[in-house]
Structure formats: C-alpha cells, structure tokens
Coordinates of all heavy atoms in Angstrom, one line a residue:
M1 N 198.7 27.3 120.8 CA 197.5 28.0 120.3 C 196.9 28.7 121.6 O 196.9 28.1 122.7 CB 196.5 27.1 119.7 CG 197.0 26.4 118.5 SD 195.7 25.3 117.7 CE 195.2 24.3 119.0
V2 N 196.3 29.8 121.4 CA 195.6 30.5 122.5 C 194.2 31.0 122.0 O 194.1 31.4 120.9 CB 196.5 31.8 122.9 CG1 195.7 32.5 124.0 CG2 197.8 31.4 123.4
D3 N 193.2 30.7 122.9 CA 191.9 31.2 122.5 C 191.2 31.7 123.8 O 191.7 31.3 124.9 CB 191.1 30.0 122.0 CG 189.9 30.4 121.1 OD1 189.6 31.7 121.1 OD2 189.4 29.6 120.4
D4 N 190.2 32.5 123.7 CA 189.5 33.0 124.9 C 188.5 32.1 125.4 O 188.3 32.0 126.6 CB 188.9 34.4 124.5 CG 187.8 34.3 123.5 OD1 187.9 33.3 122.7 OD2 187.0 35.2 123.4
L5 N 187.9 31.2 124.6 CA 186.8 30.4 125.1 C 186.7 29.2 124.2 O 186.9 29.2 123.0 CB 185.5 31.2 124.9 CG 184.2 30.5 125.1 CD1 183.9 30.2 126.6 CD2 183.0 31.3 124.6
T6 N 186.4 28.0 124.8 CA 186.0 26.9 124.0 C 184.9 26.1 124.7 O 184.9 26.1 126.0 CB 187.2 25.9 123.8 OG1 186.9 25.0 122.8 CG2 187.7 25.2 125.0
T7 N 184.0 25.7 123.9 CA 182.8 24.9 124.4 C 182.8 23.5 123.8 O 182.8 22.5 124.4 CB 181.5 25.7 124.2 OG1 181.6 27.0 124.9 CG2 180.3 24.9 124.7
T8 N 182.8 23.5 122.4 CA 182.7 22.3 121.7 C 184.1 21.9 121.2 O 184.3 20.8 120.6 CB 181.8 22.3 120.5 OG1 182.2 23.3 119.6 CG2 180.3 22.7 121.0
A9 N 185.1 22.7 121.4 CA 186.5 22.5 120.9 C 186.6 22.3 119.4 O 187.6 21.8 119.0 CB 187.1 21.3 121.7
G10 N 185.6 22.7 118.7 CA 185.7 22.6 117.2 C 186.8 23.4 116.6 O 187.6 22.9 115.8
T11 N 187.0 24.7 117.0 CA 188.0 25.5 116.4 C 189.4 25.0 116.9 O 190.3 24.9 116.1 CB 187.8 27.0 116.9 OG1 186.5 27.4 116.4 CG2 188.9 27.9 116.3
L12 N 189.5 24.7 118.1 CA 190.8 24.2 118.7 C 191.3 22.9 118.0 O 192.4 22.9 117.6 CB 190.7 23.9 120.2 CG 190.9 25.0 121.2 CD1 190.7 24.5 122.6 CD2 192.2 25.7 121.0
C13 N 190.4 22.0 117.8 CA 190.7 20.7 117.2 C 191.0 20.9 115.7 O 191.9 20.3 115.2 CB 189.7 19.7 117.5 SG 189.7 19.2 119.2
A14 N 190.3 21.7 115.0 CA 190.5 21.9 113.6 C 191.9 22.6 113.4 O 192.6 22.2 112.5 CB 189.4 22.8 113.0
A15 N 192.2 23.6 114.3 CA 193.5 24.2 114.2 C 194.6 23.3 114.5 O 195.7 23.3 113.8 CB 193.5 25.5 115.1
A16 N 194.4 22.4 115.5 CA 195.4 21.5 115.9 C 195.7 20.5 114.8 O 196.8 20.1 114.5 CB 195.0 20.7 117.2
K17 N 194.6 20.0 114.1 CA 194.8 19.1 113.0 C 195.6 19.8 111.8 O 196.4 19.1 111.2 CB 193.5 18.6 112.5 CG 192.8 17.6 113.5 CD 191.4 17.2 113.1 CE 190.8 16.4 114.2 NZ 189.4 16.0 113.9
C18 N 195.3 21.0 111.6 CA 196.1 21.8 110.6 C 197.5 21.9 110.9 O 198.4 21.7 110.1 CB 195.5 23.2 110.4 SG 193.9 23.2 109.5
L19 N 197.8 22.2 112.2 CA 199.2 22.3 112.6 C 199.9 20.9 112.5 O 201.1 20.8 112.0 CB 199.3 22.7 114.1 CG 198.9 24.2 114.3 CD1 198.8 24.5 115.8 CD2 200.0 25.1 113.7
K20 N 199.2 19.9 112.9 CA 199.8 18.5 112.8 C 200.1 18.2 111.3 O 201.2 17.6 111.0 CB 198.8 17.5 113.4 CG 199.5 16.2 113.7 CD 200.5 16.3 114.8 CE 200.8 15.0 115.4 NZ 201.9 15.0 116.4
A21 N 199.1 18.5 110.5 CA 199.3 18.2 109.0 C 200.5 19.0 108.4 O 201.1 18.6 107.4 CB 198.0 18.5 108.3
S22 N 200.8 20.1 109.1 CA 201.9 21.0 108.6 C 203.2 20.6 109.2 O 204.2 21.3 109.0 CB 201.5 22.5 108.9 OG 200.4 22.8 108.1
G23 N 203.2 19.6 110.0 CA 204.5 19.1 110.6 C 204.7 19.4 112.0 O 205.8 19.0 112.5
A24 N 203.8 19.9 112.7 CA 204.0 20.2 114.2 C 204.1 18.9 114.9 O 203.4 17.9 114.6 CB 202.8 21.0 114.8
I25 N 205.1 18.8 115.8 CA 205.3 17.6 116.6 C 204.4 17.6 117.9 O 203.7 16.6 118.0 CB 206.8 17.5 117.0 CG1 207.6 17.3 115.7 CG2 207.1 16.3 117.9 CD1 209.1 17.5 115.9
D26 N 204.5 18.6 118.7 CA 203.7 18.7 119.9 C 202.9 20.0 119.8 O 203.3 21.0 119.4 CB 204.6 18.8 121.1 CG 205.3 17.5 121.4 OD1 204.7 16.4 121.1 OD2 206.4 17.5 121.9
I27 N 201.6 19.8 120.2 CA 200.7 21.0 120.1 C 200.1 21.2 121.5 O 199.5 20.3 122.1 CB 199.5 20.7 119.1 CG1 200.1 20.5 117.7 CG2 198.5 21.9 119.0 CD1 199.2 19.9 116.7
Y28 N 200.2 22.4 121.9 CA 199.7 22.9 123.2 C 198.7 24.0 123.0 O 198.9 24.8 122.1 CB 200.8 23.4 124.2 CG 201.8 22.3 124.5 CD1 202.9 22.0 123.7 CD2 201.7 21.6 125.7 CE1 203.8 21.1 124.0 CE2 202.6 20.6 126.0 CZ 203.7 20.4 125.2 OH 204.6 19.4 125.5
A29 N 197.7 24.0 123.8 CA 196.7 25.1 123.7 C 196.4 25.6 125.1 O 196.5 25.0 126.1 CB 195.4 24.5 123.1
A30 N 196.0 26.9 125.0 CA 195.6 27.6 126.3 C 194.3 28.3 126.0 O 194.1 29.0 124.9 CB 196.7 28.6 126.6
V31 N 193.4 28.2 126.9 CA 192.1 28.8 126.8 C 191.7 29.5 128.2 O 191.9 28.8 129.2 CB 191.0 27.7 126.5 CG1 189.6 28.3 126.5 CG2 191.3 27.0 125.1
T32 N 191.2 30.6 128.1 CA 190.8 31.4 129.3 C 189.6 30.7 129.9 O 189.6 30.4 131.1 CB 190.6 32.8 129.0 OG1 191.7 33.4 128.4 CG2 190.3 33.6 130.3
H33 N 188.5 30.6 129.2 CA 187.3 30.1 129.7 C 186.9 28.8 129.0 O 186.6 28.7 127.9 CB 186.1 31.1 129.5 CG 186.5 32.5 129.9 ND1 186.6 32.9 131.2 CD2 186.7 33.6 129.1 CE1 186.9 34.1 131.2 NE2 186.9 34.6 130.0
A34 N 187.0 27.7 129.8 CA 186.8 26.4 129.2 C 185.4 25.8 129.7 O 185.3 25.1 130.7 CB 187.8 25.4 129.7
T35 N 184.4 26.2 128.9 CA 183.0 25.7 129.2 C 182.8 24.5 128.3 O 181.9 24.5 127.5 CB 182.0 26.8 128.8 OG1 182.2 27.3 127.5 CG2 182.2 28.0 129.8
I36 N 183.6 23.5 128.5 CA 183.6 22.3 127.6 C 182.4 21.4 127.9 O 182.1 21.0 129.0 CB 184.9 21.5 127.9 CG1 186.1 22.4 127.6 CG2 184.9 20.3 127.0 CD1 187.5 21.9 128.0
T37 N 181.7 21.1 126.7 CA 180.5 20.2 126.7 C 181.0 18.8 126.5 O 182.1 18.5 126.2 CB 179.6 20.7 125.7 OG1 180.2 20.5 124.4 CG2 179.1 22.1 125.9
A38 N 180.0 17.9 126.5 CA 180.3 16.5 126.1 C 180.9 16.4 124.7 O 181.8 15.6 124.5 CB 179.0 15.7 126.3
T39 N 180.3 17.2 123.8 CA 180.8 17.2 122.4 C 182.3 17.7 122.4 O 183.1 17.1 121.7 CB 180.0 18.2 121.6 OG1 178.7 17.7 121.5 CG2 180.6 18.3 120.1
G40 N 182.6 18.7 123.2 CA 184.0 19.1 123.4 C 184.9 18.0 123.9 O 186.1 17.9 123.4
V41 N 184.5 17.3 124.9 CA 185.3 16.2 125.5 C 185.6 15.2 124.4 O 186.7 14.7 124.2 CB 184.6 15.6 126.7 CG1 185.3 14.3 127.2 CG2 184.5 16.6 127.9
A42 N 184.6 14.8 123.7 CA 184.7 13.8 122.7 C 185.7 14.3 121.6 O 186.5 13.5 121.1 CB 183.3 13.5 122.0
R43 N 185.6 15.5 121.2 CA 186.5 16.0 120.2 C 188.0 16.1 120.7 O 188.9 15.7 120.0 CB 186.1 17.5 119.7 CG 185.0 17.4 118.8 CD 184.8 18.8 118.2 NE 183.8 18.8 117.2 CZ 182.8 19.7 117.1 NH1 182.8 20.8 117.9 NH2 181.9 19.6 116.2
L44 N 188.1 16.5 122.0 CA 189.5 16.6 122.5 C 190.1 15.3 122.7 O 191.3 15.2 122.6 CB 189.4 17.4 123.9 CG 189.2 18.9 123.7 CD1 188.8 19.5 125.1 CD2 190.3 19.6 123.1
K45 N 189.3 14.2 122.9 CA 189.9 12.9 123.1 C 190.6 12.4 121.8 O 191.5 11.6 121.8 CB 188.8 11.9 123.5 CG 188.4 12.0 124.9 CD 187.5 11.0 125.3 CE 187.2 11.1 126.8 NZ 186.3 10.0 127.3
T46 N 190.1 12.9 120.6 CA 190.7 12.5 119.3 C 191.5 13.5 118.7 O 192.0 13.4 117.6 CB 189.6 12.0 118.4 OG1 188.7 13.2 118.1 CG2 188.7 10.9 118.9
C47 N 191.7 14.6 119.4 CA 192.5 15.8 118.9 C 194.0 15.6 119.2 O 194.4 15.1 120.2 CB 191.9 17.0 119.6 SG 192.5 18.5 119.0
P48 N 194.8 16.1 118.3 CA 196.3 16.0 118.5 C 196.9 17.0 119.5 O 198.1 17.2 119.6 CB 196.9 16.3 117.1 CG 195.9 17.1 116.5 CD 194.6 16.7 117.0
I49 N 196.0 17.7 120.4 CA 196.6 18.6 121.4 C 197.2 17.8 122.5 O 196.5 16.9 123.1 CB 195.4 19.5 121.9 CG1 195.0 20.4 120.8 CG2 195.9 20.3 123.1 CD1 193.8 21.3 121.2
K50 N 198.5 18.0 122.8 CA 199.2 17.3 123.9 C 198.7 17.7 125.2 O 198.6 16.9 126.2 CB 200.7 17.5 123.7 CG 201.5 16.7 124.6 CD 203.0 16.8 124.3 CE 203.8 15.8 125.1 NZ 205.2 15.8 124.7
E51 N 198.5 19.1 125.4 CA 198.0 19.5 126.7 C 197.2 20.8 126.5 O 197.5 21.6 125.7 CB 199.2 19.9 127.6 CG 198.8 20.3 129.0 CD 199.9 20.6 129.9 OE1 200.9 21.3 129.5 OE2 199.9 20.1 131.1
L52 N 196.1 20.9 127.3 CA 195.2 22.1 127.2 C 195.4 22.7 128.6 O 195.1 22.1 129.6 CB 193.8 21.6 126.9 CG 192.7 22.7 127.0 CD1 193.0 23.8 125.9 CD2 191.4 22.2 126.8
V53 N 195.8 24.0 128.6 CA 195.9 24.8 129.8 C 194.7 25.7 129.9 O 194.4 26.5 128.9 CB 197.2 25.5 129.8 CG1 197.3 26.4 131.1 CG2 198.4 24.6 129.7
V54 N 194.0 25.7 131.0 CA 192.8 26.6 131.1 C 192.9 27.2 132.5 O 193.6 26.9 133.3 CB 191.5 25.7 131.0 CG1 191.4 25.0 129.7 CG2 191.3 24.7 132.2
T55 N 192.1 28.3 132.6 CA 192.0 28.9 133.9 C 190.7 28.5 134.6 O 189.8 27.8 134.0 CB 191.9 30.5 133.8 OG1 190.6 30.9 133.1 CG2 193.1 31.0 133.0
D56 N 190.6 28.8 135.9 CA 189.4 28.4 136.7 C 188.3 29.5 136.8 O 187.7 29.6 137.7 CB 189.9 28.0 138.1 CG 190.5 29.1 138.9 OD1 190.8 30.2 138.3 OD2 190.8 28.9 140.1
T57 N 188.2 30.3 135.7 CA 187.2 31.3 135.7 C 185.8 30.8 135.6 O 184.8 31.4 136.0 CB 187.3 32.3 134.5 OG1 187.3 31.5 133.2 CG2 188.7 33.0 134.5
V58 N 185.6 29.5 135.1 CA 184.4 28.8 135.2 C 184.7 27.4 135.6 O 185.8 26.9 135.4 CB 183.6 28.8 133.8 CG1 183.2 30.1 133.4 CG2 184.5 28.1 132.8
P59 N 183.7 26.7 136.3 CA 184.0 25.4 136.8 C 184.2 24.4 135.5 O 183.5 24.5 134.6 CB 182.7 25.0 137.5 CG 182.0 26.2 137.8 CD 182.4 27.2 136.8
L60 N 185.2 23.6 135.6 CA 185.5 22.7 134.6 C 184.7 21.4 134.8 O 184.8 20.8 135.8 CB 187.0 22.3 134.6 CG 187.6 21.6 133.4 CD1 187.4 22.3 132.1 CD2 189.1 21.3 133.7
Q61 N 184.0 21.0 133.7 CA 183.1 19.9 133.8 C 183.5 18.7 133.0 O 182.8 18.1 132.2 CB 181.7 20.3 133.3 CG 181.1 21.5 134.0 CD 180.7 21.2 135.5 OE1 180.3 20.2 135.8 NE2 180.9 22.2 136.3
V62 N 184.8 18.2 133.2 CA 185.3 17.1 132.4 C 185.9 16.0 133.3 O 186.7 15.2 132.9 CB 186.4 17.6 131.4 CG1 185.8 18.5 130.4 CG2 187.5 18.2 132.2
E63 N 185.3 15.9 134.5 CA 185.8 14.9 135.5 C 185.7 13.5 134.8 O 184.7 13.1 134.2 CB 185.0 14.9 136.8 CG 185.2 16.1 137.6 CD 184.3 17.3 137.2 OE1 183.4 17.1 136.4 OE2 184.7 18.4 137.5
G64 N 186.8 12.7 135.0 CA 186.8 11.3 134.6 C 187.0 11.2 133.1 O 186.9 10.1 132.5
S65 N 187.4 12.3 132.4 CA 187.6 12.2 130.9 C 188.9 11.8 130.5 O 189.2 11.5 129.4 CB 187.2 13.5 130.3 OG 188.1 14.5 130.7
D66 N 189.9 11.8 131.5 CA 191.3 11.5 131.2 C 191.9 12.4 130.1 O 192.8 12.0 129.5 CB 191.5 10.1 130.8 CG 191.1 9.1 131.9 OD1 191.2 9.4 133.1 OD2 190.6 8.0 131.5
L67 N 191.4 13.6 130.0 CA 192.0 14.6 129.1 C 193.2 15.3 129.7 O 193.3 15.5 130.9 CB 191.0 15.7 128.8 CG 189.8 15.3 127.9 CD1 188.7 16.4 127.8 CD2 190.2 14.8 126.6
P68 N 194.2 15.5 128.9 CA 195.4 16.2 129.5 C 195.2 17.7 129.7 O 195.6 18.6 128.8 CB 196.5 16.0 128.4 CG 195.7 15.8 127.1 CD 194.4 15.2 127.5
I69 N 194.5 18.1 130.7 CA 194.1 19.4 131.0 C 194.8 19.9 132.3 O 194.8 19.2 133.3 CB 192.6 19.6 131.1 CG1 191.9 19.3 129.8 CG2 192.2 21.0 131.6 CD1 190.4 19.4 129.9
K70 N 195.4 21.1 132.2 CA 196.0 21.7 133.4 C 195.2 23.0 133.7 O 195.0 23.8 132.8 CB 197.5 22.0 133.1 CG 198.2 22.7 134.3 CD 199.6 22.9 134.0 CE 200.3 23.5 135.2 NZ 201.8 23.7 135.0
V71 N 194.8 23.1 135.0 CA 194.0 24.2 135.3 C 194.8 25.2 136.2 O 195.5 24.8 137.2 CB 192.7 23.8 136.2 CG1 191.9 25.0 136.6 CG2 191.9 22.8 135.4
L72 N 194.9 26.5 135.7 CA 195.6 27.5 136.5 C 194.6 28.4 137.2 O 193.6 28.8 136.6 CB 196.4 28.4 135.5 CG 197.4 27.6 134.7 CD1 198.2 28.6 133.7 CD2 198.4 26.9 135.5
S73 N 194.9 28.7 138.4 CA 194.0 29.6 139.2 C 194.2 31.1 138.9 O 195.4 31.5 138.8 CB 194.2 29.3 140.7 OG 193.4 30.2 141.5
V74 N 193.1 31.8 138.8 CA 193.2 33.3 138.7 C 192.8 34.0 139.9 O 192.7 35.2 140.0 CB 192.3 33.7 137.5 CG1 192.9 33.2 136.2 CG2 190.9 33.4 137.7
A75 N 192.7 33.2 141.0 CA 192.2 33.8 142.3 C 193.1 34.9 142.8 O 192.6 36.0 143.2 CB 192.0 32.7 143.3
E76 N 194.4 34.7 142.8 CA 195.3 35.7 143.3 C 195.2 37.0 142.5 O 195.2 38.1 143.0 CB 196.7 35.2 143.4 CG 197.7 36.2 144.1 CD 199.0 35.5 144.2 OE1 199.2 34.3 144.2 OE2 200.0 36.4 144.3
L77 N 195.2 36.8 141.2 CA 195.1 38.0 140.3 C 193.8 38.8 140.5 O 193.8 40.0 140.6 CB 195.3 37.5 138.8 CG 195.1 38.6 137.7 CD1 196.2 39.6 137.8 CD2 195.0 38.0 136.4
F78 N 192.7 38.0 140.5 CA 191.4 38.7 140.7 C 191.4 39.4 142.1 O 190.8 40.5 142.2 CB 190.3 37.7 140.6 CG 189.9 37.4 139.2 CD1 190.6 37.7 138.1 CD2 188.7 36.6 139.0 CE1 190.3 37.4 136.8 CE2 188.4 36.3 137.7 CZ 189.2 36.6 136.6
G79 N 191.9 38.7 143.1 CA 191.9 39.3 144.4 C 192.7 40.6 144.5 O 192.2 41.6 145.0
E80 N 193.8 40.6 143.9 CA 194.7 41.8 143.8 C 194.0 42.9 143.0 O 194.0 44.1 143.4 CB 196.1 41.5 143.3 CG 197.0 42.7 143.2 CD 197.3 43.2 144.6 OE1 197.2 42.6 145.6 OE2 197.7 44.5 144.7
A81 N 193.3 42.5 141.9 CA 192.6 43.5 141.1 C 191.5 44.2 141.9 O 191.3 45.4 141.9 CB 192.0 42.9 139.9
I82 N 190.7 43.4 142.7 CA 189.6 43.9 143.6 C 190.2 44.9 144.6 O 189.6 46.0 144.8 CB 188.9 42.8 144.2 CG1 188.1 42.0 143.1 CG2 187.9 43.3 145.3 CD1 187.5 40.7 143.6
I83 N 191.3 44.5 145.3 CA 191.9 45.4 146.2 C 192.3 46.7 145.6 O 192.0 47.8 146.1 CB 193.1 44.7 146.9 CG1 192.7 43.6 147.8 CG2 194.0 45.7 147.7 CD1 193.8 42.6 148.3
R84 N 193.0 46.7 144.5 CA 193.4 47.9 143.8 C 192.3 48.8 143.3 O 192.4 50.0 143.4 CB 194.3 47.5 142.6 CG 195.7 47.0 143.0 CD 196.5 46.6 141.8 NE 197.7 46.0 142.3 CZ 198.9 46.1 141.6 NH1 198.9 46.8 140.5 NH2 199.9 45.4 142.1
V85 N 191.2 48.2 142.9 CA 190.1 49.0 142.5 C 189.5 49.6 143.7 O 189.2 50.8 143.7 CB 189.0 48.1 141.7 CG1 187.7 48.8 141.6 CG2 189.5 47.7 140.4
H86 N 189.3 48.9 144.7 CA 188.8 49.4 146.0 C 189.6 50.6 146.6 O 189.1 51.5 147.1 CB 188.7 48.3 147.0 CG 188.2 48.8 148.4 ND1 186.9 49.1 148.6 CD2 188.8 48.9 149.6 CE1 186.7 49.4 149.8 NE2 187.9 49.4 150.5
E87 N 191.0 50.5 146.4 CA 191.9 51.5 146.9 C 192.2 52.6 145.8 O 193.1 53.4 146.0 CB 193.2 50.8 147.4 CG 192.9 49.9 148.6 CD 194.2 49.2 149.0 OE1 195.2 49.2 148.3 OE2 194.1 48.6 150.1
H88 N 191.5 52.5 144.7 CA 191.7 53.5 143.6 C 193.1 53.5 143.1 O 193.7 54.6 142.9 CB 191.3 54.9 144.0 CG 189.8 55.0 144.6 ND1 188.8 54.9 143.7 CD2 189.4 55.1 145.8 CE1 187.7 55.0 144.4 NE2 188.0 55.1 145.7
R89 N 193.7 52.3 143.0 CA 195.1 52.2 142.5 C 195.0 51.6 141.1 O 194.1 51.0 140.7 CB 195.9 51.3 143.4 CG 196.2 51.9 144.8 CD 197.2 51.1 145.6 NE 196.7 49.8 145.9 CZ 197.5 48.7 145.9 NH1 198.8 48.8 145.6 NH2 197.0 47.5 146.2
S90 N 196.2 51.7 140.4 CA 196.2 51.3 139.0 C 196.2 49.7 138.9 O 196.8 49.1 139.7 CB 197.6 51.8 138.4 OG 197.7 51.3 137.1
L91 N 195.6 49.3 137.8 CA 195.6 47.8 137.5 C 196.7 47.5 136.5 O 197.0 46.3 136.3 CB 194.3 47.4 136.9 CG 193.1 47.5 137.9 CD1 191.8 47.1 137.1 CD2 193.3 46.7 139.1
N92 N 197.3 48.5 135.8 CA 198.3 48.3 134.8 C 199.4 47.4 135.1 O 199.8 46.5 134.3 CB 198.8 49.7 134.3 CG 197.8 50.4 133.5 OD1 196.8 49.8 133.0 ND2 198.0 51.7 133.3
S93 N 200.0 47.6 136.3 CA 201.2 46.7 136.7 C 200.8 45.3 136.8 O 201.7 44.4 136.8 CB 201.8 47.3 137.9 OG 201.0 47.2 139.0
L94 N 199.6 44.9 137.0 CA 199.2 43.5 137.1 C 199.4 42.8 135.8 O 199.6 41.6 135.8 CB 197.7 43.4 137.5 CG 197.3 43.7 138.9 CD1 195.8 43.6 139.0 CD2 198.0 42.8 139.9
F95 N 199.5 43.5 134.7 CA 199.6 42.9 133.4 C 200.9 43.1 132.7 O 201.1 42.8 131.5 CB 198.4 43.4 132.5 CG 197.1 43.1 133.1 CD1 196.4 44.2 133.8 CD2 196.6 41.9 133.2 CE1 195.2 44.0 134.4 CE2 195.4 41.6 133.9 CZ 194.7 42.7 134.4
N96 N 201.9 43.6 133.4 CA 203.3 43.8 132.9 C 204.0 42.5 132.9 O 204.1 41.8 134.0 CB 204.1 44.8 133.7 CG 203.6 46.2 133.5 OD1 202.9 46.5 132.5 ND2 203.8 47.1 134.5
M97 N 204.5 42.1 131.8 CA 205.2 40.8 131.7 C 206.6 40.9 131.3 O 207.0 41.7 130.7 CB 204.5 39.8 130.7 CG 203.0 39.6 131.1 SD 202.2 38.5 130.0 CE 202.2 37.0 131.0

C-alpha cells in the first residue's frame, strides 16, 4: 500500500485489515510523510502491516516502539533538485524510473 501521509494510521490499518481478510499473506506499506502520533503507534502495533517504509521528510517520533519501520533518506534527491533549480536545469530526469 502507498499513501502520502499518516498520522493516526487509521486508514493504513483499516486497509491492511481488509487486505488480510481478503487473503493477503504479507502486507507492506509506504508513506512519504510519517507524522505518527501515539494513537498511530498504538494502531500500528496491532495492525497486520509487516513493514512500513517512510521517508525522512519529517522527524519520526516513534523511538522505543519496536515498530517494523524502515526510514529512507530523501536528502540526495532534494539536494540534487536544489542544485538543478539553482542552475535552471530540468527536474524531470530525477523522476524517471
């Protein structure tokens, strides 16, 4: 599953439960901005998501929660984008996959 933002993880956990009920074995989620609150931590602890992948666009506040979270850095991408904007170059090729 992919989402742009999660705070309370309500949507993520509800979707994960639906996937599990429909027969999914392993559920992975990716979120760009993880502004996870205490409510979100509590939900994620009981949620069937095997791993949550987030970016470091905002500080992650879940220390000591033992949640299966992997943080990916966007520093290199942002740095390159800043250089290209400063040099009046295209950003399009940064997003070619």
Side-chain angles (χ1 to χ4, degrees):
M1 298 184 304
V2 178
D3 205 346
D4 62 337
L5 171 74
T6 192
T7 301
T8 63
T11 302
L12 277 180
C13 289
K17 288 175 185 177
C18 285
L19 288 171
K20 196 69 165 176
S22 295
I25 296 169
D26 292 326
I27 301 166
Y28 295 85
V31 175
T32 305
H33 312 291
T35 55
I36 301 171
T37 62
T39 300
V41 169
R43 281 189 177 137
L44 288 167
K45 284 185 177 184
T46 62
C47 185
I49 292 175
K50 186 171 185 175
E51 183 178 48
L52 176 61
V53 179
V54 302
T55 66
D56 62 352
T57 59
V58 294
L60 191 60
Q61 305 292 324
V62 296
E63 293 83 17
S65 67
D66 296 329
L67 291 173
I69 297 178
K70 180 176 183 175
V71 180
L72 301 179
S73 176
V74 294
E76 187 176 335
L77 177 65
F78 281 11
E80 182 62 24
I82 291 167
I83 289 168
R84 289 177 185 212
V85 167
H86 178 73
E87 295 176 349
H88 304 287
R89 294 190 296 143
S90 174
L91 298 176
N92 287 342
S93 64
L94 288 176
F95 305 103
N96 292 336
M97 299 182 105

